[in-house]
Amino acid sequence: MNVKQKVRPMDTQLKLLGSKPPELAPIKHIKAPVDPSTLHHRQLLDGAFWQKIPAYRLVDEATFLDHTWQAKNTITNPQKLLQAVQDLVPQSFYDDVSKGFHLAPMSIRVSPYLLSLIDWSNAYTDPLRRQFVPVASRLLPDHPKLTLDSLHEQADAPVPGLTHRYPDKALFLALDTCPVYCRFCTRSYAVGVDTDEVEKVSLKATEERWERAFRYISERPELEDIVVSGGDSYQLKARQITLIGNKLLELPNIRRIRFATKGPAVMPMKLITDHEWLDALTAVVERGRKLHKEVVLHTHFNHPNEITAITKRALDGVFERGIITRNQSVLQRGVNDTIAVMQLLVKRLGHCQVQPYYVYVHDLVKGVEDLRTTLQTACDIEKAVRGTTAGFHTPTFVVDAPGGGGKRVAHSFEHYDRDTGISVFAAPSVKPGFFLYFDPVDTLAPEIQAKWSDKAKQDEMIADAIAKANANMAASAHASSVR
Ligand SMILES: *Cc1c(COP(=O)(O)O)cnc(C)c1O
Ligand code: SF4
């Protein structure tokens, strides 16, 4: 007889002892105890926080949680901002914002929820203000090597709105509007159609364009993974979620679908009050599960202040429906470019069962040089975040290589000249050649800044970086046994 079978299960043992648990010797803690009040990631902003904004002083919770109210009261110009915030900021700030709106290459759209999360008494430094509301006085000149659509999303698009760069996955830009407009948006070349009429007119054309995208996907057996983005999946009507989801699920080659949306970060209440939208997504997820296909939500939080008790409630609902949510952040100067903020963001996302997936080094985008960081910043923060929580909650820090090289791990450069701010990446499975990233010029030493304003010296610095990358690669190829 097996000895093990004689051992009684724990609950029977406890019963035999009566209901009293056995006396335990005190446990010696090796690690110093943690003061629970320092676990900031669990302390979420709650209550009627929006009522400190003059325009929302009388807005009750039911109204604030109504996504249609949020959409209707979204701020799209400086006048509306003035009406909402009133005397919380001085006139000089409005003037700065008005100029900033005028200079911005991107439309502006800020939900009342986001507006309420900004600390207007520190408007210049507030991390949410910096992301969504431009001020002229803080703008910096663009990097000389910046081009619109720096990621070559259009060049890699076989049909409009479908970027097929990697072997087995493609990016489907379903539409060109968002629940918010981010200053730092990579797609400022496409995103930002603003008026209601234009949206209505383009809608039908949109669905015809989709058919061409589905046709292309069906003709490429190697495609397995589709990112549905935009713009933003939040802007899709429930029936459009159903249509896109079903069309893609019915293609035998498709195994994975991600609906990408910034919505949970800027208007979480939609997940609480727009039942039709969440039900449509849930139905696609459930149908996918039956077909053994993964359908998930990808979202975009950048700062821990974007995660409130409302967010938690919204994401709890998503989690209860068995929908996996992952997050992609953009590393931004003055927003989330410190170890403490990034660690808090990662932990807070985890607390809401959102898996931090990527942190992007800021793309070369027009008009937002003040938001970019150096590559070194990304490498330093990555090092400090790794090891603080579960590996599957540890984001990978990536550079989306300008020129269409795709995402490369920030640490994986072939060469990085911290003086000139030039980093060189290779993407052997995506595209031949080198891909260059450039640190913001204002972060470099004055004599190097001077070089960047001289075309001949720019070419010299770049040629030098490429030569060094070539030398590094030749040396490591010689030493490596990987074939
Ligand atoms: C980011 C991206 C994808 C998805 O890449 P993952 O690394 O799998 O998240 C697909 N296509 C394009 C063009 C992309 O930019
Ligand atoms: S939500 Fe995404 S696509 Fe829309 S403006 Fe922001 S970053 Fe760009």
Side-chain angles (χ1 to χ4, degrees):
M1 190 184 170
N2 188 332
V3 184
K4 275 191 191 146
Q5 286 174 356
K6 279 190 189 158
V7 178
R8 291 174 205 274
M10 193 58 146
D11 54 346
T12 331
Q13 285 183 25
L14 284 180
K15 253 180 227 147
L16 291 176
L17 289 167
S19 57
K20 244 175 82 188
E23 291 275 326
L24 294 176
I27 292 169
K28 188 169 169 291
H29 288 255
I30 298 170
K31 281 177 166 309
V34 170
D35 175 358
S37 73
T38 63
L39 299 173
H40 301 293
H41 62 282
R42 298 181 197 160
Q43 297 152 15
L44 303 179
L45 180 64
D46 203 354
F49 55 83
W50 57 89
Q51 290 177 356
K52 68 183 190 307
I53 302 294
Y56 313 146
R57 204 158 277 153
L58 301 175
V59 172
D60 61 13
E61 188 180 14
T63 307
F64 196 73
L65 291 186
D66 178 356
H67 69 281
T68 57
W69 182 86
Q70 289 282 335
K72 223 179 291 157
N73 289 278
T74 283
I75 307 291
T76 48
N77 60 50
Q79 291 72 38
K80 282 192 188 166
L81 182 69
L82 178 65
Q83 282 161 16
V85 186
Q86 296 172 26
D87 54 4
L88 294 185
V89 293
Q91 184 59 40
S92 59
F93 181 80
Y94 284 114
D95 297 342
D96 211 355
V97 169
S98 299
K99 269 193 227 142
F101 267 69
H102 185 65
L103 295 171
M106 188 73 186
S107 330
I108 311 290
R109 191 180 267 192
V110 179
S111 64
Y113 172 77
L114 262 187
L115 190 105
S116 308
L117 294 179
I118 293 173
D119 174 5
W120 292 98
S121 59
N122 290 300
Y124 276 106
T125 52
D126 185 273
L128 274 61
R129 196 287 301 159
R130 289 177 70 92
Q131 293 180 72
F132 304 105
V133 182
V135 290
S137 64
R138 302 296 157 103
L139 297 179
L140 292 172
D142 289 332
H143 194 282
K145 287 287 148 190
L146 183 146
T147 55
L148 208 58
D149 185 23
S150 78
L151 303 183
H152 281 208
E153 284 187 343
Q154 292 171 105
D156 285 342
V159 301
L162 187 80
T163 301
H164 184 187
R165 170 173 307 147
Y166 301 95
D168 75 346
K169 58 192 176 189
L171 173 66
F172 175 35
L173 303 180
L175 76 182
D176 56 11
T177 63
C178 304
V180 66
Y181 289 133
C182 314
R183 288 185 54 215
F184 50 91
C185 182
T186 294
R187 309 223 168 89
S188 50
Y189 69 86
V191 167
V193 178
D194 215 327
T195 71
D196 290 345
E197 276 138 67
V198 177
E199 272 181 39
K200 269 180 219 151
V201 173
S202 65
L203 217 55
K204 197 162 154 42
T206 302
E207 292 190 14
E208 275 169 33
R209 180 171 67 76
W210 292 357
E211 284 303 328
R212 298 188 61 208
F214 300 141
R215 166 80 68 87
Y216 176 84
I217 296 167
S218 75
E219 289 172 0
R220 303 299 299 219
E222 75 274 31
L223 275 180
E224 299 180 347
D225 180 351
I226 304 296
V227 181
V228 181
S229 186
D232 195 291
S233 302
Y234 243 43
Q235 302 296 103
L236 293 167
K237 308 258 179 292
R239 69 169 178 83
Q240 294 176 314
I241 295 273
T242 309
L243 185 147
I244 294 174
N246 283 336
K247 281 275 184 182
L248 293 175
L249 284 176
E250 282 157 17
L251 297 176
N253 49 323
I254 295 306
R255 312 289 305 156
R256 292 173 293 282
I257 303 170
R258 327 172 199 178
F259 282 96
T261 171
K262 183 143 180 86
V266 299
M267 212 187 275
M269 48 283 294
K270 183 176 169 90
L271 299 171
I272 300 172
T273 54
D274 189 349
H275 303 287
E276 210 190 340
W277 190 90
L278 189 56
D279 286 349
L281 179 69
T282 308
V284 176
V285 171
E286 285 175 353
R287 185 166 177 227
R289 197 176 295 132
K290 295 227 168 67
L291 295 167
H292 312 141
K293 299 185 179 202
E294 184 192 73
V295 182
V296 301
L297 203 58
H298 272 210
T299 186
H300 177 179
F301 289 90
N302 289 323
H303 192 278
N305 289 1
E306 292 158 7
I307 305 174
T308 65
I310 298 175
T311 323
K312 176 81 166 55
R313 195 176 143 195
L315 292 170
D316 283 350
V318 171
F319 192 71
E320 279 172 31
R321 288 161 178 249
I323 303 174
I324 293 170
T325 307
R326 304 194 189 106
N327 188 69
Q328 312 190 169
S329 299
V330 178
L331 186 64
Q332 293 164 83
R333 211 194 301 187
V335 175
N336 55 10
D337 64 339
T338 66
I339 290 167
V341 169
M342 191 56 79
Q343 285 178 339
L344 184 57
L345 173 64
V346 161
K347 287 284 287 178
R348 201 165 270 181
L349 287 167
H351 183 59
C352 297
Q353 303 298 7
V354 175
Q355 303 167 4
Y357 174 44
Y358 279 144
V359 174
Y360 288 90
V361 174
H362 201 306
D363 292 332
L364 287 147
V365 176
K366 242 179 136 37
V368 286
E369 200 64 357
D370 58 309
L371 285 178
R372 290 205 304 126
T373 69
T374 62
L375 178 66
Q376 188 61 46
T377 306
C379 293
D380 292 344
I381 296 177
E382 193 275 347
K383 215 171 261 186
V385 168
R386 189 161 295 275
T388 58
T389 189
F392 53 81
H393 278 181
T394 304
T396 305
F397 285 63
V398 293
V399 176
D400 209 340
K407 300 166 188 68
R408 310 309 300 172
V409 173
H411 285 278
S412 72
F413 47 80
E414 306 302 334
H415 173 69
Y416 179 20
D417 185 332
R418 276 111 178 140
D419 293 332
T420 61
I422 303 175
S423 44
V424 184
F425 292 84
S429 299
V430 185
K431 233 179 213 182
F434 283 130
F435 303 93
L436 307 181
Y437 184 77
F438 303 95
D439 290 345
V441 170
D442 73 291
T443 63
L444 307 172
E447 65 275 15
I448 307 283
Q449 294 195 23
K451 279 192 178 185
W452 276 110
S453 54
D454 178 335
K455 180 83 179 67
K457 297 223 167 87
Q458 288 172 17
D459 294 346
E460 228 170 77
M461 291 187 287
I462 290 171
D464 174 69
I466 290 176
K468 290 197 169 115
N470 264 319
N472 289 347
M473 279 183 91
S476 58
H478 186 69
S480 168
S481 57
V482 178
R483 287 289 172 263

